[in-house]
Amino acid sequence: MPTTSRELLEYSMLEENGAAKYDSGEQQLFDLVKDFDTQLLFIDRAIKLTEKETHEGQNQLMKELYRWIKEQIALAQSFLGNEPTKGLSITNDEDDD
């Protein structure tokens, strides 16, 4: 369990960059898209856990959140003129229950 801010950043996959506020709007939006992509990794794990533990309500909520985030990524990538998976770890072969 991390106990300092430095440890939290080291173990959480978060990045702090004060200079990013001076990036172009397009770059800031793409950074948000990459953050959404990272969230999908954890949401996917949560979905598997809720299936294993048979928590149907939580499972449905996680699946809805997963779909919503994928939709936001697609919208932002389209707005930026990028391919849907440019620079991301996600693929389009995920189940869209």
Side-chain angles (χ1 to χ4, degrees):
M1 182 77 172
T3 57
T4 66
S5 296
R6 183 181 55 76
E7 289 175 343
L8 183 63
L9 290 173
E10 182 179 341
Y11 299 117
S12 69
M13 299 177 73
L14 294 177
E15 294 181 22
E16 279 192 16
N17 181 2
K21 66 183 174 186
Y22 301 109
D23 288 346
S24 68
E26 290 83 7
Q27 183 60 50
Q28 290 181 26
L29 181 56
F30 188 64
D31 289 344
L32 177 63
V33 167
K34 291 188 294 186
D35 288 342
F36 274 158
D37 181 51
T38 301
Q39 288 178 24
L40 289 178
L41 298 173
F42 295 102
I43 294 169
D44 186 54
R45 290 179 189 167
I47 290 169
K48 290 174 182 166
L49 180 60
T50 59
E51 287 172 351
K52 179 181 175 186
E53 300 293 328
T54 63
H55 292 231
E56 294 300 323
Q58 291 174 334
N59 182 267
Q60 184 63 32
L61 180 64
M62 290 294 106
K63 287 180 177 179
E64 289 173 17
L65 180 59
Y66 190 92
R67 283 191 296 268
W68 182 84
I69 289 178
K70 282 187 73 172
E71 181 180 319
Q72 301 315 302
I73 289 172
L75 288 170
Q77 291 285 56
S78 175
F79 179 81
L80 293 170
N82 295 339
E83 292 294 318
T85 58
K86 177 186 175 190
L88 306 178
S89 64
I90 62 168
T91 60
N92 286 328
D93 62 348
E94 300 285 340
D95 290 340
D96 288 337
D97 296 331

